[in-house]
Amino acid sequence: MILHHFMQPLAGYHTRAAFSLFPVSISMTTHTASRRLKQKRLWLALAALFALLFFSLKEKPTSQHNQVAPFGTETGDSLPTHNSQKPLSDAEKGILALARAYPDFFEIADQVPTQNVLVWKDGTRLPYDDGREKSPQERLENPDLEDQMQYYPSGRLETPPQKGEQAGRIRYEPFFKKMYGNSAAQVAQKLTTVVWLPKHIGTKLQVTTVNQVHQKVKTLSLQLDSLVSLRPDLKKYLQNPGGTFNWRNISGTNRLSAHSFGMTLDINTTYSHYWQWSAKTKDENATLSYQNQIPMEIVELFEAQGFIWGGKWYHFDTMHFEYRPELLLFAQMR
Ligand SMILES: [Zn+2]
């Protein structure tokens, strides 16, 4: 309908323009009615083509800046003052993914592409890349934001994760402490209760309200409830969830667990695998053999709400889901 509406004036314009460009075709015209009709049809067809071309060039995707776009859709934002001719560097992509993933904390307009710094709405500036070369162990123990931004393979897992695949396992603690709280007490102040699969399970979970994580868990919970109605065999993975908020270090390390921040959820440990339990070691350098029973239908629903899954790490933790929308966005920008 819209196309039809625009074609009328446009057709006239292009017909006239075309005639003036090719006066020869007018002078050559014989005055028989059928010849004129044929020519008119030709020009109309040409005009329609022009109109289609005009429209396809004019139509651009609209920005979804204020909506929570489902993960897997590119919103097309780019960093301010960036020369659009030049592709974004990895650091620029990382900063952009962080700013887009957490709109309560960042304005894309505040990010300056070349300065290697993530600027918060309150004016805080966190360095992005400390420029240091690190061993894998150092990256875990002393990362910067750049180390944190790794490629997370969203969607179905085709092959077991390879050594070094661990997107989301590296966390720059100052970032999460600033966002979710600096201590157990501060994080606890922002928690709320969400009923987990109200129809089929009904366990109460404590999750953070920061970044509306509680709303995302609520949506997920209803979606999983519907999934279990169709697939009762999936209920066992979701009942007796292993836990959400718990301010603690990761076993065998001095690093804070993501459970400290209230945006992380473990499903049923009985049907899950954790590398330290499977390999009976806490040695990061141990050779591991991947194990998983968690069905991908469950993983995909979590990812659609911005959660990553620990089952995609070489150091697998298949019960573990963590709200890390920046990694899902970053993966799309590659
Ligand atoms: Zn966990």
Side-chain angles (χ1 to χ4, degrees), residues 2-27:
I2 293 168
L3 193 66
H4 178 76
H5 174 76
F6 271 84
M7 257 172 66
Q8 299 311 316
L10 209 67
Y13 170 77
H14 280 290
T15 308
R16 275 196 302 278
F19 268 116
S20 65
L21 277 172
F22 303 105
V24 174
S25 68
I26 298 172
S27 67

mmCIF file of all heavy atoms in Angstrom, residues 2-27:
data_model
loop_
_atom_site.group_PDB
_atom_site.id
_atom_site.type_symbol
_atom_site.label_atom_id
_atom_site.label_comp_id
_atom_site.label_asym_id
_atom_site.label_seq_id
_atom_site.Cartn_x
_atom_site.Cartn_y
_atom_site.Cartn_z
ATOM 1 N N ILE A 2 1.883 1.254 0.861
ATOM 2 C CA ILE A 2 2.774 2.414 0.971
ATOM 3 C C ILE A 2 3.520 2.623 -0.346
ATOM 4 O O ILE A 2 3.637 3.718 -0.851
ATOM 5 C CB ILE A 2 3.778 2.212 2.128
ATOM 6 C CG1 ILE A 2 3.021 2.207 3.451
ATOM 7 C CG2 ILE A 2 4.828 3.308 2.151
ATOM 8 C CD1 ILE A 2 3.798 1.747 4.637
ATOM 9 N N LEU A 3 3.954 1.522 -0.906
ATOM 10 C CA LEU A 3 4.698 1.577 -2.152
ATOM 11 C C LEU A 3 3.817 2.192 -3.248
ATOM 12 O O LEU A 3 4.247 3.056 -3.986
ATOM 13 C CB LEU A 3 5.130 0.159 -2.544
ATOM 14 C CG LEU A 3 6.181 0.091 -3.646
ATOM 15 C CD1 LEU A 3 7.490 0.674 -3.156
ATOM 16 C CD2 LEU A 3 6.381 -1.336 -4.102
ATOM 17 N N HIS A 4 2.566 1.758 -3.304
ATOM 18 C CA HIS A 4 1.633 2.251 -4.298
ATOM 19 C C HIS A 4 1.460 3.770 -4.142
ATOM 20 O O HIS A 4 1.491 4.515 -5.113
ATOM 21 C CB HIS A 4 0.282 1.542 -4.130
ATOM 22 C CG HIS A 4 -0.746 2.023 -5.093
ATOM 23 N ND1 HIS A 4 -0.752 1.647 -6.416
ATOM 24 C CD2 HIS A 4 -1.793 2.859 -4.928
ATOM 25 C CE1 HIS A 4 -1.746 2.232 -7.029
ATOM 26 N NE2 HIS A 4 -2.406 2.970 -6.160
ATOM 27 N N HIS A 5 1.300 4.203 -2.920
ATOM 28 C CA HIS A 5 1.102 5.614 -2.609
ATOM 29 C C HIS A 5 2.276 6.459 -3.106
ATOM 30 O O HIS A 5 2.092 7.551 -3.630
ATOM 31 C CB HIS A 5 0.943 5.765 -1.093
ATOM 32 C CG HIS A 5 0.874 7.186 -0.635
ATOM 33 N ND1 HIS A 5 -0.269 7.950 -0.802
ATOM 34 C CD2 HIS A 5 1.778 7.981 -0.036
ATOM 35 C CE1 HIS A 5 -0.045 9.153 -0.309
ATOM 36 N NE2 HIS A 5 1.181 9.199 0.170
ATOM 37 N N PHE A 6 3.485 5.945 -2.940
ATOM 38 C CA PHE A 6 4.670 6.709 -3.320
ATOM 39 C C PHE A 6 4.975 6.625 -4.802
ATOM 40 O O PHE A 6 5.651 7.473 -5.340
ATOM 41 C CB PHE A 6 5.891 6.204 -2.534
ATOM 42 C CG PHE A 6 6.063 6.906 -1.228
ATOM 43 C CD1 PHE A 6 5.366 6.483 -0.115
ATOM 44 C CD2 PHE A 6 6.900 8.015 -1.109
ATOM 45 C CE1 PHE A 6 5.504 7.142 1.085
ATOM 46 C CE2 PHE A 6 7.032 8.668 0.093
ATOM 47 C CZ PHE A 6 6.341 8.236 1.189
ATOM 48 N N MET A 7 4.453 5.602 -5.455
ATOM 49 C CA MET A 7 4.825 5.380 -6.844
ATOM 50 C C MET A 7 4.225 6.418 -7.774
ATOM 51 O O MET A 7 4.813 6.740 -8.785
ATOM 52 C CB MET A 7 4.374 3.989 -7.294
ATOM 53 C CG MET A 7 5.533 3.028 -7.338
ATOM 54 S SD MET A 7 4.969 1.383 -7.627
ATOM 55 C CE MET A 7 4.312 1.518 -9.263
ATOM 56 N N GLN A 8 3.056 6.961 -7.413
ATOM 57 C CA GLN A 8 2.388 7.868 -8.358
ATOM 58 C C GLN A 8 3.223 9.117 -8.647
ATOM 59 O O GLN A 8 3.607 9.310 -9.796
ATOM 60 C CB GLN A 8 0.973 8.220 -7.861
ATOM 61 C CG GLN A 8 0.053 7.008 -7.731
ATOM 62 C CD GLN A 8 0.057 6.114 -8.960
ATOM 63 O OE1 GLN A 8 0.005 6.621 -10.085
ATOM 64 N NE2 GLN A 8 0.143 4.814 -8.792
ATOM 65 N N PRO A 9 3.545 9.935 -7.633
ATOM 66 C CA PRO A 9 4.344 11.127 -7.936
ATOM 67 C C PRO A 9 5.730 10.767 -8.450
ATOM 68 O O PRO A 9 6.261 11.419 -9.349
ATOM 69 C CB PRO A 9 4.434 11.846 -6.590
ATOM 70 C CG PRO A 9 4.056 10.850 -5.552
ATOM 71 C CD PRO A 9 3.199 9.838 -6.221
ATOM 72 N N LEU A 10 6.271 9.692 -7.910
ATOM 73 C CA LEU A 10 7.624 9.295 -8.284
ATOM 74 C C LEU A 10 7.674 8.858 -9.745
ATOM 75 O O LEU A 10 8.582 9.196 -10.489
ATOM 76 C CB LEU A 10 8.031 8.125 -7.376
ATOM 77 C CG LEU A 10 9.518 8.022 -7.093
ATOM 78 C CD1 LEU A 10 9.948 9.219 -6.261
ATOM 79 C CD2 LEU A 10 9.803 6.733 -6.373
ATOM 80 N N ALA A 11 6.610 8.141 -10.153
ATOM 81 C CA ALA A 11 6.557 7.642 -11.529
ATOM 82 C C ALA A 11 6.559 8.832 -12.485
ATOM 83 O O ALA A 11 7.291 8.840 -13.469
ATOM 84 C CB ALA A 11 5.301 6.801 -11.730
ATOM 85 N N GLY A 12 5.769 9.855 -12.167
ATOM 86 C CA GLY A 12 5.700 11.045 -12.998
ATOM 87 C C GLY A 12 7.066 11.708 -13.086
ATOM 88 O O GLY A 12 7.531 12.041 -14.176
ATOM 89 N N TYR A 13 7.725 11.817 -11.957
ATOM 90 C CA TYR A 13 9.025 12.477 -11.898
ATOM 91 C C TYR A 13 10.033 11.746 -12.773
ATOM 92 O O TYR A 13 10.705 12.333 -13.603
ATOM 93 C CB TYR A 13 9.511 12.532 -10.453
ATOM 94 C CG TYR A 13 10.939 12.982 -10.331
ATOM 95 C CD1 TYR A 13 11.254 14.344 -10.471
ATOM 96 C CD2 TYR A 13 11.966 12.069 -10.132
ATOM 97 C CE1 TYR A 13 12.565 14.763 -10.394
ATOM 98 C CE2 TYR A 13 13.273 12.483 -10.060
ATOM 99 C CZ TYR A 13 13.582 13.825 -10.186
ATOM 100 O OH TYR A 13 14.856 14.241 -10.119
ATOM 101 N N HIS A 14 10.076 10.439 -12.587
ATOM 102 C CA HIS A 14 11.090 9.679 -13.320
ATOM 103 C C HIS A 14 10.782 9.635 -14.805
ATOM 104 O O HIS A 14 11.687 9.622 -15.615
ATOM 105 C CB HIS A 14 11.210 8.262 -12.745
ATOM 106 C CG HIS A 14 12.039 8.260 -11.505
ATOM 107 N ND1 HIS A 14 13.392 8.495 -11.542
ATOM 108 C CD2 HIS A 14 11.706 8.092 -10.219
ATOM 109 C CE1 HIS A 14 13.867 8.468 -10.311
ATOM 110 N NE2 HIS A 14 12.858 8.215 -9.485
ATOM 111 N N THR A 15 9.478 9.645 -15.152
ATOM 112 C CA THR A 15 9.116 9.610 -16.563
ATOM 113 C C THR A 15 9.607 10.880 -17.243
ATOM 114 O O THR A 15 10.270 10.830 -18.263
ATOM 115 C CB THR A 15 7.582 9.510 -16.702
ATOM 116 O OG1 THR A 15 7.162 8.434 -15.905
ATOM 117 C CG2 THR A 15 7.181 9.251 -18.140
ATOM 118 N N ARG A 16 9.333 12.020 -16.608
ATOM 119 C CA ARG A 16 9.751 13.308 -17.184
ATOM 120 C C ARG A 16 11.268 13.381 -17.276
ATOM 121 O O ARG A 16 11.820 13.750 -18.282
ATOM 122 C CB ARG A 16 9.222 14.470 -16.336
ATOM 123 C CG ARG A 16 7.792 14.872 -16.702
ATOM 124 C CD ARG A 16 7.469 16.241 -16.134
ATOM 125 N NE ARG A 16 7.607 16.308 -14.694
ATOM 126 C CZ ARG A 16 6.662 15.901 -13.855
ATOM 127 N NH1 ARG A 16 5.544 15.382 -14.308
ATOM 128 N NH2 ARG A 16 6.841 15.996 -12.563
ATOM 129 N N ALA A 17 11.922 12.982 -16.212
ATOM 130 C CA ALA A 17 13.381 13.064 -16.176
ATOM 131 C C ALA A 17 13.968 12.190 -17.271
ATOM 132 O O ALA A 17 14.875 12.603 -17.987
ATOM 133 C CB ALA A 17 13.887 12.606 -14.807
ATOM 134 N N ALA A 18 13.391 11.024 -17.446
ATOM 135 C CA ALA A 18 13.919 10.100 -18.431
ATOM 136 C C ALA A 18 13.711 10.658 -19.843
ATOM 137 O O ALA A 18 14.581 10.561 -20.687
ATOM 138 C CB ALA A 18 13.242 8.747 -18.283
ATOM 139 N N PHE A 19 12.559 11.271 -20.051
ATOM 140 C CA PHE A 19 12.289 11.851 -21.371
ATOM 141 C C PHE A 19 13.279 12.946 -21.686
ATOM 142 O O PHE A 19 13.799 13.025 -22.781
ATOM 143 C CB PHE A 19 10.857 12.425 -21.436
ATOM 144 C CG PHE A 19 9.881 11.421 -21.956
ATOM 145 C CD1 PHE A 19 8.847 10.951 -21.176
ATOM 146 C CD2 PHE A 19 10.024 10.939 -23.258
ATOM 147 C CE1 PHE A 19 7.965 10.028 -21.672
ATOM 148 C CE2 PHE A 19 9.132 10.009 -23.759
ATOM 149 C CZ PHE A 19 8.100 9.537 -22.965
ATOM 150 N N SER A 20 13.546 13.814 -20.700
ATOM 151 C CA SER A 20 14.440 14.927 -20.981
ATOM 152 C C SER A 20 15.877 14.433 -21.188
ATOM 153 O O SER A 20 16.657 15.069 -21.860
ATOM 154 C CB SER A 20 14.380 15.957 -19.859
ATOM 155 O OG SER A 20 14.885 15.387 -18.675
ATOM 156 N N LEU A 21 16.194 13.267 -20.601
ATOM 157 C CA LEU A 21 17.536 12.727 -20.784
ATOM 158 C C LEU A 21 17.692 12.103 -22.165
ATOM 159 O O LEU A 21 18.771 12.077 -22.707
ATOM 160 C CB LEU A 21 17.826 11.666 -19.718
ATOM 161 C CG LEU A 21 18.289 12.198 -18.360
ATOM 162 C CD1 LEU A 21 18.348 11.062 -17.360
ATOM 163 C CD2 LEU A 21 19.651 12.866 -18.479
ATOM 164 N N PHE A 22 16.588 11.592 -22.688
ATOM 165 C CA PHE A 22 16.673 10.920 -23.986
ATOM 166 C C PHE A 22 15.690 11.543 -24.981
ATOM 167 O O PHE A 22 14.685 10.953 -25.321
ATOM 168 C CB PHE A 22 16.357 9.422 -23.845
ATOM 169 C CG PHE A 22 17.254 8.741 -22.862
ATOM 170 C CD1 PHE A 22 16.787 8.399 -21.607
ATOM 171 C CD2 PHE A 22 18.570 8.442 -23.211
ATOM 172 C CE1 PHE A 22 17.615 7.766 -20.711
ATOM 173 C CE2 PHE A 22 19.389 7.808 -22.302
ATOM 174 C CZ PHE A 22 18.921 7.470 -21.043
ATOM 175 N N PRO A 23 15.966 12.773 -25.414
ATOM 176 C CA PRO A 23 15.023 13.431 -26.336
ATOM 177 C C PRO A 23 14.892 12.661 -27.645
ATOM 178 O O PRO A 23 13.876 12.730 -28.303
ATOM 179 C CB PRO A 23 15.630 14.810 -26.546
ATOM 180 C CG PRO A 23 17.060 14.674 -26.147
ATOM 181 C CD PRO A 23 17.152 13.581 -25.169
ATOM 182 N N VAL A 24 15.951 11.911 -27.973
ATOM 183 C CA VAL A 24 15.946 11.172 -29.240
ATOM 184 C C VAL A 24 14.752 10.225 -29.292
ATOM 185 O O VAL A 24 14.060 10.129 -30.295
ATOM 186 C CB VAL A 24 17.261 10.381 -29.411
ATOM 187 C CG1 VAL A 24 17.215 9.505 -30.650
ATOM 188 C CG2 VAL A 24 18.427 11.355 -29.476
ATOM 189 N N SER A 25 14.502 9.594 -28.187
ATOM 190 C CA SER A 25 13.423 8.613 -28.174
ATOM 191 C C SER A 25 12.069 9.265 -28.448
ATOM 192 O O SER A 25 11.172 8.632 -28.959
ATOM 193 C CB SER A 25 13.394 7.855 -26.841
ATOM 194 O OG SER A 25 13.002 8.731 -25.820
ATOM 195 N N ILE A 26 11.951 10.567 -28.095
ATOM 196 C CA ILE A 26 10.690 11.262 -28.366
ATOM 197 C C ILE A 26 10.570 11.561 -29.865
ATOM 198 O O ILE A 26 9.568 11.277 -30.490
ATOM 199 C CB ILE A 26 10.592 12.583 -27.563
ATOM 200 C CG1 ILE A 26 10.621 12.251 -26.070
ATOM 201 C CG2 ILE A 26 9.318 13.356 -27.916
ATOM 202 C CD1 ILE A 26 10.726 13.459 -25.200
ATOM 203 N N SER A 27 11.653 12.086 -30.443
ATOM 204 C CA SER A 27 11.597 12.480 -31.846
ATOM 205 C C SER A 27 11.403 11.279 -32.766
ATOM 206 O O SER A 27 10.852 11.402 -33.839
ATOM 207 C CB SER A 27 12.870 13.243 -32.227
ATOM 208 O OG SER A 27 13.963 12.360 -32.162
#
